[in-house]
Amino acid sequence: MHWVGSWAASQQIPEPQNSLPADDLRDATLRQMVHLSLGGATIRIRLSNAFGTTPLRLSTVHIARPAVPFAGGIHATTDRALTFSGSLDVIIPSGAEYLSDPIEYPVTALSDLVISIHFDEAPAQQTGHPGSRETSYLAHGNMVSAADLVTITTSATHPPTAIEHWYQIAAVDVLAPSDAQSIVVLGDSITDGHGSTVNGNDRWPDVLARRLQSTPETRRLGVLNQGIGGNHLLTDGLGPNAIARFDRDVLARAGVGYLMVLEGVNDLGGLTRDGDVSAAEHEALVRRIVSAYEQIIARAHSAAIKVVGATILPYTGSGYYHPGAASEADRQRINKWIRSPGHFDSVVDFDEITTDPKHPDRLLPVYDSGDHLHPSPAGHQAMGEAIPLSLFAR
């Protein structure tokens, strides 16, 4: 038996519009739900203060199964307190992540788990994942065991609040048989789930996780979504660049056997977002993107992780990036490199799957969320369905 990741989220400093006012996390309970990919009888939770500037004290952390439908409620009989080196409270150093003690708490694949945290004081700098696509609930007071947060009478000035972000939670691991492994998906907003359904768990990695569990040969595999909206390969955008976060988001995850990489559209689009640039600058960007892929492959291989490359989806028509012919040519060159043998261990051609045959530089309308950059729920479904499960066979 060994530890394998069942759920994960990449950490960043929440943007001002996605951070919580300090008063909201003073003597407050934050209840967050996550969707597991792999089951097990014993679990542990990874909390994060990765971007905190001072130690973070959490007075208590509980887990429970959600009431259905989830609206801040839990099944009270399933509520359990976590410990950290035997203590109910934990102080996480600045810049660090912290594992709970293992707890016997059977969970099934594709089930939901609720994590409730009580804060005495707000962190000096929040760490979180704004693109949760899940609703979290915040109430004042220590309400970690409350069956229902939403209908609780709390301070009139701080009523219970629903928010679509995660804070301070990084991973859930399960104790699994020795042949179990996790698949880390490293990506940007397309992987993070932009264009998918809030609380629907229908991002393309979710679709992959369901398919893996439907086949006996691949039920040993968990899927860890390490996408960050606006993420870049080469520069810091929303969250650290992919190379900078590689150790924390890939190598530090439990039981990783495979890595899927879908990154690069934000680097491509960002080059010309503010105006045209020279041919030499296009050439330099393509070289640097390819070099970043080579770095990711080499670092993964050094940890015996197989790497699956994914081609970059078309994005002509995007009002955010408004790419021209030169940017499209860059994308085609990079996709050709991804497809070429001798680089990635295997390839999933998302470009071919999502492209409009009549307009090869654009998303197929049914797979377009409407912004000509992110896939719709149907696009996420098609991407997840197109991944050959044979890539992950024993």
Side-chain angles (χ1 to χ4, degrees):
M1 303 289 283
H2 70 147
W3 290 106
V4 178
S6 179
W7 171 86
S10 295
Q11 304 302 298
Q12 64 181 89
I13 299 172
E15 310 92 298
Q17 69 271 25
N18 293 325
S19 61
L20 294 170
D23 282 348
D24 284 4
L25 285 179
R26 187 170 291 115
D27 183 24
T29 296
L30 183 59
R31 179 166 285 176
Q32 306 172 95
M33 186 168 71
V34 301
H35 190 64
L36 306 178
S37 60
L38 189 66
T42 302
I43 69 174
R44 66 184 185 184
I45 310 298
R46 185 186 297 262
L47 303 173
S48 184
N49 191 27
F51 295 95
T53 55
T54 60
L56 171 65
R57 180 179 183 270
L58 304 175
S59 59
T60 187
V61 182
H62 281 220
I63 55 174
R65 292 186 172 86
V68 180
F70 180 62
I74 60 170
H75 290 293
T77 56
T78 69
D79 177 61
R80 295 282 299 278
L82 298 178
T83 59
F84 302 84
S85 299
S87 298
L88 291 174
D89 68 334
V90 59
I91 299 176
I92 307 173
S94 59
E97 295 190 339
Y98 231 76
L99 291 168
S100 73
D101 297 333
I103 181 172
E104 291 186 11
Y105 195 92
V107 295
T108 58
L110 309 179
S111 66
D112 295 321
L113 182 72
V114 176
I115 304 169
S116 298
I117 302 172
H118 179 253
F119 296 77
D120 284 332
E121 295 292 336
Q125 171 63 66
Q126 293 169 24
T127 293
H129 186 86
S132 65
R133 273 89 199 176
E134 293 277 3
T135 304
S136 303
Y137 295 88
L138 179 70
H140 276 258
N142 188 342
M143 304 291 179
V144 292
S145 295
D148 186 354
L149 282 189
V150 173
T151 59
I152 289 174
T153 300
T154 58
S155 167
T157 59
H158 295 288
T161 304
I163 44 178
E164 290 177 9
H165 311 300
W166 286 314
Y167 302 92
Q168 319 294 159
I169 55 173
V172 178
D173 302 333
V174 299
L175 202 56
S178 58
D179 65 341
Q181 295 179 307
S182 59
I183 303 167
V184 169
V185 185
L186 189 68
D188 49 41
S189 56
I190 294 172
T191 295
D192 199 22
H194 191 106
S196 65
T197 308
V198 174
N199 299 319
N201 297 310
D202 57 1
R203 316 162 188 84
W204 71 262
D206 296 321
V207 176
L208 172 61
R210 287 196 293 273
R211 293 181 59 224
L212 291 168
Q213 290 302 314
S214 70
T215 304
E217 177 67 16
T218 56
R219 284 177 187 158
R220 61 191 174 85
L221 296 168
V223 178
L224 305 181
N225 188 331
Q226 303 286 179
I228 294 180
N231 199 233
H232 296 206
L233 279 165
L234 303 171
T235 56
D236 293 345
L238 300 182
N241 66 78
I243 303 297
R245 66 188 180 95
F246 188 85
D247 286 5
R248 182 175 61 246
D249 287 353
V250 180
L251 299 183
R253 293 297 174 236
V256 181
Y258 300 89
L259 169 65
M260 296 188 70
V261 182
L262 177 57
E263 283 261 19
V265 70
N266 292 317
D267 300 84
L268 288 171
L271 181 68
T272 58
R273 184 166 183 248
D274 296 326
D276 292 335
V277 299
S278 68
E281 290 174 276
H282 281 279
E283 177 67 25
L285 178 66
V286 170
R287 287 200 308 269
R288 291 190 65 213
I289 289 175
V290 166
S291 177
Y293 289 145
E294 290 174 332
Q295 288 287 310
I296 288 171
I297 293 166
R299 291 169 68 179
H301 283 172
S302 69
I305 297 170
K306 294 181 179 179
V307 191
V308 181
T311 51
I312 300 171
L313 281 63
Y315 65 109
T316 292
S318 163
Y320 186 75
Y321 283 136
H322 40 78
S327 293
E328 172 62 14
D330 294 344
R331 186 182 74 90
Q332 294 291 351
R333 285 182 61 193
I334 291 166
N335 281 348
K336 182 178 180 180
W337 187 92
I338 292 170
R339 295 183 184 107
S340 299
H343 300 144
F344 289 99
D345 296 304
S346 53
V347 174
V348 174
D349 203 339
F350 284 151
D351 173 40
E352 182 180 45
I353 293 158
T354 60
T355 290
D356 183 348
K358 297 179 181 178
H359 306 282
D361 60 345
R362 293 177 178 264
L363 288 168
L364 193 68
V366 71
Y367 294 158
D368 190 339
S369 67
D371 66 4
H372 312 303
L373 174 63
H374 299 97
S376 62
H380 280 278
Q381 182 73 28
M383 292 168 68
E385 291 282 356
I387 301 167
L389 299 189
S390 60
L391 297 180
F392 313 110
R394 287 184 177 87

